C-alpha cells in the first residue's frame, strides 16, 4: 500500500481547482503518462518539466522601456478606444500611463466587455508582456498578464514555460502547477545528508518547488542543483527497484535444469543452417546458467535478424529434456503466431508439443489449452501477455523466454517470474534493441548478458538511400519496376506523435495511393485492426500474394519475411535512430540485395541530417545506439517513447551517466547494510519508491 502521505499527489488532476473533464482531456494530451495510467494525476503534472522561462522582472517604467523586450509595469488606465463599428480589423485600444510615460494596450478581436472589466478607467493595473514601438508611441499587443494590485502575487515574474497542447494555455497550466506544488507534503529525507551537502542539493520539497517556481532564470536547467537532485532521486529509485528484483531473484532457490541433449540434437539436425559462433556461445552460457542451482536471469541481446529465435528454441529444449515446461512470450499476437509457425514444425520433428495462447484463444479452445498445460501435455507454450493471467497454470514451468522485452513493463516481467510452480523458473530476456552499456544498467540493472554479434552468414548489407519527399513519385515509379520483377516491399507510414487517428489516416491514404499505382497487390496493416485481419494480411504478404505492405509502425518488432527486399520509411526524420534500425532490419534477411529508402521532408535540421546520414553509413546496431545517445543526450534515447521502453521523467540530464553510477553504488550499499529497509533512511526510501511508482519492487521486498 502506498503511504497515505503521498495520497494528495496520486489523486486525479481533477482534484485541482478548475480542472473538469474538458481540461483533464487537454492535460492528458500535454502531459506524459506512465504505461497503464489513463488519467493525469497531480504527480504527472509535477513531472511535466518546464523547457524555459520568461523573465518579467524588468520594471523600467514606461520612459525607459526597451522595445522588443518583455517587461512589467504598474499603470493607471486613462481611456478606452473601441474600433469604429463595422471595421472588424481595427484593434481595441486602451491607453495607460505611469509617472514617466504612456503606453497603448492593443487588443485584436477583443470582446469589449472583457477588456472593460479587466481595465476599468481610473484603476491601477500591473501589466506584463512584450513592449513595442509603433511610430512614436509605446504599445503592448495582448499583454500576457493584467492584474489588479491585490493580485500582484499571481503575476509570475519568472514564468516557467511548459510543453502545451492546442487549447491548453501556459497561463492555465501555470495555475495548476502552483496548486500541484502546494500539495507536495513534507517528506522525511531519503538521501544521505552528507551527499546532499556535498552537492549543494535542496530537500525534495524545495527541489520540486524550485522546478516549477524558479527564483532565477538559470534555474530552469537540468544542471541546476534542484533539478539534479530530482534526477538523482529518480535514478536512485530505479536502481533500488532493480536491486530489489535481483535480491528477490537470488533469495529464491533455483533448481538445476540439465537436459540429456537428445532433443537439442534433433533440433540442430532439423535446422536448415549451422549456428553462428555467437549463437553457440550464448547457448553454452544459457546451458550453464540453467544447470546452476541458482535462478537464471539473463539478457540475450542480438540485432534484428541475428537469430535469437533459434537460441530461444534450443534453450527451451533443455527444459523439455529435463521433463519440465518452457514458455515463450512475444509482445504482439502477430509475433507470437510467427514464433509458433517457425518453431512448431521443428519442434514437432523432435517430438516437442507446442501450443499458442493469446488473447484470441477463448472459451473452449482456451479451456482445453489450459487443461493440457496443467496436465503437462504441452511442452512449450508460446503467447502474448495472455500468459500472465492468473488462471494460466503450468504443470512445471522451468524456463521462460521473454522476447523483445522492451515492450513489457517491469510489472509483467515480475508476474511471469512468479509463475514457476515454486517460483524458480529461469528467465531469458531477449531484446533486439542494441542498448548501450550505460542504459542497459539503467533499465535492467546488472543482468548477465549474452550478445549475438554477427549476422548469419550469406547476408548482404542493405543499401540505404536518403530521398526527399519531393521525389516521392520517382520512388513509387521505382517500386513499380521492382514489384514487376518480383520484389516485395514494406512501406512504413509516418509516426504522428500522440495521434493514432491521423497516423491511421496517413496509412490508409498511402495504401489507396499505392493501390492505384500498383494494382490490388498492396496490403494495409495498422494497430487498430482486429487480430485476425492482421494475421491474414501478414500471411498474404509472407506468401507473396501481397507484394507491398503499407503499415503504421506495427511491423517494427520481429516480423520475418525473407523475400521482402525493399523498405520505404516515410518521414524518416521523425523516427528514432534505433527504431529506423529495427525497421531496416526487416529487409536484408535473404540472399538478394536489399534496399532501404528513407524519405524525409526537407529542410532537415543539422541533427536530423546527421542522424539519417548515420543510418546510411552503418548497419551496426550498437554503433547506431551509441550515436543516438550522443546526439540526443541524456536518457531520451532509442526512440524510447515509440518503443515503449521505460522513460525517465526527470533524469534526462546531461550528466546522467555519472549520476547513474553514483545511484547504483548508493543502491547497492543501502541494500547491503539495510536489506529490509528498516533503518530510518530505509523507511524514507519507501516513500521514494512509491513516488516514482516502483510499487512492484516494494511489494517484492515485503514478500521477502
Ligand atoms: P531475430 O534475432 O531478429 O529474432 P530471427 O531469429 O528471426 O532473428 O532470425 C532471422 C532469420 O535468420 C530467420 O530466418 C532464421 O531462420 C535465420 N537464421 C537464424 N540463425 C541462422 C544461422 N545460424 N544461419 C543462417 N540463418 C539463420
Ligand atoms: Mg525475433
Amino acid at each position: 500500500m502506498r503511504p497515505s502521505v503521498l495520497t494528495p499527489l496520486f489523486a486525479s488532476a481533477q482534484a485541482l481547482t478548475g480542472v473538469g473533464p474538458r481540461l483533464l482531456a487537454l492535460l492528458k494530451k500535454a502531459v506524459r503518462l506512465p504505461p497503464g495510467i489513463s488519467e493525469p494525476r497531480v504527480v504527472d503534472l509535477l513531472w511535466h518539466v518546464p523547457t524555459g522561462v520568461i523573465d518579467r522582472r524588468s520594471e523600467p517604467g514606461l520612459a525607459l522601456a526597451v522595445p522588443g523586450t518583455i517587461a512589467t509595469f504598474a499603470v493607471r488606465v486613462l481611456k478606452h478606444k473601441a474600433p469604429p463599428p463595422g471595421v472588424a480589423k481595427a484593434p481595441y485600444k486602451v491607453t495607460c500611463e505611469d509617472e514617466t510615460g504612456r503606453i497603448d494596450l492593443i487588443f485584436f478581436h477583443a470582446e469589449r466587455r472583457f477588456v472593460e472589466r479587466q481595465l476599468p478607467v481610473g484603476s491601477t493595473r500591473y501589466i506584463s508582456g512584450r513592449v513595442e514601438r509603433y511610430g512614436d508611441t509605446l504599445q503592448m499587443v495582448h499583454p500576457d498578464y493584467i492584474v489588479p494590485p491585490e493580485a500582484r502575487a499571481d503575476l509570475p515574474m519568472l514564468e516557467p514555460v511548459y510543453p502545451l497542447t492546442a487549447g491548453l494555455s501556459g497561463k492555465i497550466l501555470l495555475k495548476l502547477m502552483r496548486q500541484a506544488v502546494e500539495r507536495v507534503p513534507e517528506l522525511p529525507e531519503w538521501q544521505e545528508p552528507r551527499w546532499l551537502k556535498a552537492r549543494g542539493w535542496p530537500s525534495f520539497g524545495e527541489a520540486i518547488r524550485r522546478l516549477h517556481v524558479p527564483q532565477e532564470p538559470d534555474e530552469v536547467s537540468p544542471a541546476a542543483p534542484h533539478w539534479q537532485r530530482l534526477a538523482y532521486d529518480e535514478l536512485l529509485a530505479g536502481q533500488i527497484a532493480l536491486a530489489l528484483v535481483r535480491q528477490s531473484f537470488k533469495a529464491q532457490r533455483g533448481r538445476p535444469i540439465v537436459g540429456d541433449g537428445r532433443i537439442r540434437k534433433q533440433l540442430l539436425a532439423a535446422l536448415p543452417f549451422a549456428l553462428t559462433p555467437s549463437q553457440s556461445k550464448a547457448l553454452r552460457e544459457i546451458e550453464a546458467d540453467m544447470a546452476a542451482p541458482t535462478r537464471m536471469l539473463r539478457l540475450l541481446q542480438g540485432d534484428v535478424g541475428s537469430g535469437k529465435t533459434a537460441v530461444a528454441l534450443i534453450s527451451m529444449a533443455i527444459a523439455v529434456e529435463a521433463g519440465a515446461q518452457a514458455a515463450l512470450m512475444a509482445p504482439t499476437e502477430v509475433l507470437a503466431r510467427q514464433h509458433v509457425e517457425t518453431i512448431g514444425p521443428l519442434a514437432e520433428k523432435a517430438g516437442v508439443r507446442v501450443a499458442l495462447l493469446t488473447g484470441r484463444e477463448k472459451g473452449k479452445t482456451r479451456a482445453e489449452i489450459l487443461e493440457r498445460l496443467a496436465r503437462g501435455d504441452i511442452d512449450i507454450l508460446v503467447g502474448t501477455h495472455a500468459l500472465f493471467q492468473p488462471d494460466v497454470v503450468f504443470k512445471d514451468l522451468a524456463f521462460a523466454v521473454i522476447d523483445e522485452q522492451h515492450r513489457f513493463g517491469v510489472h509483467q516481467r515480475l508476474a511471469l517470474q512468479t509463475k514457476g510452480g515454486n517460483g524458480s523458473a529461469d528467465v531469458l530476456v531477449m531484446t533486439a534493441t542494441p542498448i548501450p552499456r550505460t542504459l542497459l544498467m539503467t533499465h535492467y540493472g546488472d543482468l548477465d548478458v549474452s550478445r549475438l554479434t554477427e549476422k548469419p552468414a550469406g547476408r548482404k548489407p542493405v543499401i540505404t538511400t536518403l530521398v526527399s519527399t519531393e521525389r516521392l513519385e520517382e520512388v513509387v515509379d521505382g517500386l513499380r519496376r521492382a514489384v514487376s520483377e518480383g520484389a516485395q516491399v514494406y512501406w512504413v507510414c509516418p509516426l504522428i506523435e500522440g495521434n493514432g487517428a491521423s497516423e491511421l489516416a496517413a496509412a490508409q491514404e498511402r495504401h489507396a495511393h499505392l493501390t492505384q499505382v500498383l494494382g490490388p497487390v498492396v496490403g494495409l496493416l495498422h494497430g487498430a485492426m482486429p487480430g485476425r485481419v492482421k494475421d491474414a494480411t501478414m500471411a498474404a504478404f509472407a506468401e507473396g500474394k501481397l507484394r507491398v505492405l503499407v503499415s503504421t509502425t506495427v511491423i517494427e518488432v520481429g516480423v520475418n519475411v525473407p523475400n521482402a527486399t525493399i523498405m520505404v520509411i516515410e518521414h524518416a526524420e521523425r523516427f528514432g535512430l534505433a527504431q529506423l534500425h529495427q525497421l531496416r532490419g526487416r529487409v536484408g534477411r535473404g540472399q538478394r540485395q536489399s534496399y532501404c529508402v528513407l524519405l524525409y521532408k526537407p529542410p532537415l535540421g543539422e541533427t536530423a541530417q546527421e542522424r539519417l546520414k548515420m543510418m546510411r553509413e552503418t548497419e551496426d546496431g550498437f554503433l547506431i545506439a551509441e550515436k543516438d545517445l550522443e546526439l540526443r543526450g541524456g536518457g531520451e534515447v532509442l526512440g524510447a517513447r515509440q518503443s515503449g521502453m521505460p522513460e525517465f521523467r526527470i533524469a534526462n540530464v546531461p550528466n546522467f551517466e555519472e549520476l547513474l553510477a553514483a545511484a547504483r553504488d548508493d543502491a547497492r550499499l543501502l541494500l547491503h547494510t539495510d536489506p529490509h529497509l528498516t533503518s530510518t533512511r530505509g523507511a524514507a526510501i519507501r516513500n521514494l519508491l512509491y513516488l516514482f511508482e516502483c510499487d512492484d519492487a516494494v511489494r517484492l521486498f515485503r514478500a521477502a
Side-chain angles (χ1 to χ4, degrees), residues 302-329:
D303 222 332
V304 174
S306 58
K308 292 186 292 297
T309 317
V311 174
L313 173 61
I314 296 171
S315 42
M316 288 194 288
I318 302 176
V320 181
E321 285 169 10
Q325 291 165 301
L328 169 57
M329 184 176 69

Side-chain angles (χ1 to χ4, degrees), residues 308-309 339 403-404 558:
K308 292 186 292 297
T309 317
H339 277 318
D403 190 12
E404 306 288 2

Side-chain angles (χ1 to χ4, degrees), residues 603-668:
L604 279 183
E606 203 172 305
T607 311
Q609 212 161 15
E610 209 175 322
R611 294 168 68 227
L612 293 185
K613 266 203 338 241
M614 182 80 193
M615 288 304 295
R616 197 173 54 194
E617 278 157 20
T618 182
E619 272 191 82
D620 181 331
F622 287 100
L623 218 67
I624 288 173
E626 301 284 357
K627 185 76 179 177
D628 209 13
L629 185 63
E630 178 194 315
L631 287 176
R632 294 209 230 175
E636 169 101 35
V637 284
L638 306 169
R641 192 168 301 185
Q642 302 116 21
S643 70
M645 258 226 334
E647 268 184 281
F648 294 121
R649 277 166 277 204
I650 186 147
N652 292 313
V653 293
N655 60 331
F656 106 109
E657 289 187 21
E658 177 232 328
L659 291 183
L660 177 65
R664 186 197 45 184
D665 293 345
D666 198 352
R668 274 196 195 144

Side-chain angles (χ1 to χ4, degrees), residues 328-330 332-341 353-362 365-366 368-370 372-373 378 380-384 386-387 532 535:
L328 169 57
M329 184 176 69
T332 64
E333 255 172 47
V334 171
L335 277 173
R337 227 155 272 273
Q338 192 162 46
H339 277 318
V340 170
E341 271 155 32
R353 296 156 299 180
V354 177
L356 175 71
L357 186 69
T358 70
R360 265 194 291 143
E361 277 67 41
K362 290 203 178 90
T365 319
R366 180 181 157 86
E368 210 175 297
I369 294 169
L370 294 185
R372 284 169 53 214
L373 189 68
I378 292 172
I380 294 178
L381 186 64
V382 180
T384 52
L387 296 184
R532 285 189 191 287
D535 290 349

